[in-house]
Amino acid sequence: MNEKKILVSGGAGFLGSHLCERLIEQGHDVLCVDNYYTGSKANLLPLLGHPRFELLRHDVTFPLYVEVDEIYNLACPASPIHYQYDPVQTTKTSVHGAINMLGLAKRVKARILQASTSEVYGDPEMHPQKESYWGNVNPIGIRSCYDEGKRCAETLFFDYYRQHRLRIKVARIFNTYGPRMHPNDGRVVSNFIVQALRNEPITLNGDGSQTRSFCYVDDLIEALLRLMATDDSFIGPVNTGNPTEFTIRELAEKVIELTGSRSTLVFAPLPSDDPMQRRPDISLAREKLGWEPTIQLEEGLKRTIAYFDELLASKG
Ligand code: NAD
Ligand code: UDP
């Protein structure tokens, strides 16, 4: 039998809700745990009441005693404005959350996947970023609670692997966007789309010349599923993201074009430690997961715009 009991921490968030949906479609039993810090039950509406889906309000900084075969550890706010709102809690969520989820995996001998991040590379001096790059991270800045928390979580994963022979998988996720991002999420794609649909000024930080590489959510979820399914010898870390790079200004112009918006561009100071460039080298994911993104920015933006258009219309 292929069906498994799978725990998704942070399952009520943007990525987590899409992951839960895919796992249910595949026939698994899914236990979603979330403290609703940035996620919501609304993201899981299509699954509530499903006989193989269970939702538990739980904060991963506290231990959890359940029986599962696999764990996806996604619990952690991902948007800078949200993870900087309570930075101590952000570090606790990454570090204590990882310890609790790893302890659980050890007790029940579950395979465990960590949602790590391109932020472990900081403001990278190597471009594009390969997994072998150790990063350029400020340990005491406003992004450090997230960056260093995620780096420490990776350390814990690898120590549990070496010390306790745990079956681990580490994905370094690059900027991912799509339907179910919160309209006030604060990340760039949702901000720009919501501003464009409302014909409000589009807020560019800095001069907009910093770059990011944007991955559509369906592609990213496929990468996580494939990573979890690799044999025990492959543990990562592996970059998962779309290697096509854009400046933030190009993104703003594309969003204006696709929405037909009357929005203008306004410029705000670049927040400190904001990385100037980011693009994954995905050779390893291609080789080990047989994966690469299939949905390019224009198509992904159209789908995301359609989602926000409907959402904003329903809110009046
Ligand atoms: P999100 O903020 O939408 O989801 C995070 C979820 O974790 C939310 O539902 C939130 O309520 C929950 N959560 C936060 N703290 C918790 C705690 N202490 N206990 C239980 N639940 C808690 O963000 P997302 O974009 O869905 O990101 C999911 C994961 O992927 C995060 O770990 C993030 O760091 C990682 N990631 C995302 C991206 C991206 O571009 N979306 C990029 C890199 C890494
Ligand atoms: N950004 C912007 N305007 C916004 C939100 C973000 O110009 O309204 C910029 C931000 O400064 C950064 C880039 O867009 O340079 C990506 O920001 P996001 O918060 O989405 O992700 P991260 O910086 O974590 O990659």
Side-chain angles (χ1 to χ4, degrees), residues 78-81 83 118-119 143 146 175 186-189 191-192 195 203-206 208 210-212 214 248 270-271 274-275 278:
S79 157
I81 57 163
Y83 71 63
S118 52
E119 293 284 329
R143 294 176 82 102
Y146 184 76
N175 298 66
R187 281 176 282 186
V188 68
V189 176
N191 265 16
F192 285 4
Q195 289 165 340
T203 52
L204 279 170
N205 293 343
Q210 70 274 32
T211 68
R212 295 293 187 272
F214 299 102
I248 295 303
L270 193 66
D274 200 297
R278 189 182 284 156

Side-chain angles (χ1 to χ4, degrees), residues 15 113-122 129-135 146 150-151 153-155 158 169-176 215 220 223-224 227 235-242 278-282 284-285 289 291:
L15 294 182
L113 182 149
Q114 168 68 355
S116 190
T117 168
S118 52
E119 293 284 329
V120 300
Y121 301 122
Q129 292 80 54
K130 277 184 188 298
E131 292 84 353
S132 53
Y133 178 49
W134 289 357
Y146 184 76
K150 288 284 188 178
R151 284 168 70 94
E154 285 201 10
T155 307
F158 276 77
K169 311 277 176 192
V170 175
R172 289 185 179 155
I173 303 170
F174 283 64
N175 298 66
T176 302
C215 187
L220 194 278
L224 298 185
L227 173 58
I235 60 177
V238 58
N239 289 338
T240 52
N242 190 318
R278 189 182 284 156
R279 170 156 61 103
D281 179 322
I282 60 162
L284 188 64
L289 314 181
W291 173 88

Side-chain angles (χ1 to χ4, degrees), residues 9-17 33-40 43 58-61 73-79 82 89 92-94 97 114-119 146 150 171-177 180-182 185 187 215 220:
S9 80
F14 161 51
L15 294 182
S17 61
V33 303
D34 205 294
N35 68 350
Y36 308 123
Y37 180 64
T38 49
S40 72
N43 285 337
H58 174 78
D59 184 325
V60 294
T61 61
N73 186 33
L74 271 63
C76 186
S79 157
H82 294 294
Q89 179 63 22
K92 281 187 188 168
T93 292
S94 277
Q114 168 68 355
S116 190
T117 168
S118 52
E119 293 284 329
Y146 184 76
K150 288 284 188 178
R172 289 185 179 155
I173 303 170
F174 283 64
N175 298 66
T176 302
Y177 68 99
R180 289 209 199 117
M181 294 184 92
H182 195 279
D185 179 273
R187 281 176 282 186
C215 187
L220 194 278

Side-chain angles (χ1 to χ4, degrees), residues 128-271:
Q129 292 80 54
K130 277 184 188 298
E131 292 84 353
S132 53
Y133 178 49
W134 289 357
N136 176 36
V137 178
N138 177 357
I140 57 168
I142 55 171
R143 294 176 82 102
S144 311
C145 57
Y146 184 76
D147 301 8
E148 297 288 21
K150 288 284 188 178
R151 284 168 70 94
C152 184
E154 285 201 10
T155 307
L156 285 160
F157 268 69
F158 276 77
D159 282 334
Y160 268 77
Y161 166 73
R162 283 184 288 256
Q163 197 174 331
H164 300 298
R165 308 312 301 167
L166 225 68
R167 296 180 296 152
I168 65 157
K169 311 277 176 192
V170 175
R172 289 185 179 155
I173 303 170
F174 283 64
N175 298 66
T176 302
Y177 68 99
R180 289 209 199 117
M181 294 184 92
H182 195 279
N184 299 326
D185 179 273
R187 281 176 282 186
V188 68
V189 176
S190 45
N191 265 16
F192 285 4
I193 291 177
V194 170
Q195 289 165 340
L197 289 172
R198 290 178 172 152
N199 292 307
E200 290 170 358
I202 293 204
T203 52
L204 279 170
N205 293 343
D207 62 4
S209 64
Q210 70 274 32
T211 68
R212 295 293 187 272
S213 309
F214 299 102
C215 187
Y216 188 68
V217 58
D218 292 0
D219 280 330
L220 194 278
I221 299 300
E222 181 63 29
L224 298 185
L225 295 169
R226 287 189 189 206
L227 173 58
M228 187 63 111
T230 52
D231 70 45
D232 290 347
S233 64
F234 184 64
I235 60 177
V238 58
N239 289 338
T240 52
N242 190 318
T244 314
E245 185 179 6
F246 294 87
T247 67
I248 295 303
R249 191 181 180 121
E250 284 169 337
L251 174 72
E253 284 162 355
K254 191 46 105 188
V255 168
I256 291 176
E257 177 197 320
L258 294 176
T259 49
S261 172
R262 296 189 302 278
S263 292
T264 53
L265 302 183
V266 295
F267 296 86
L270 193 66

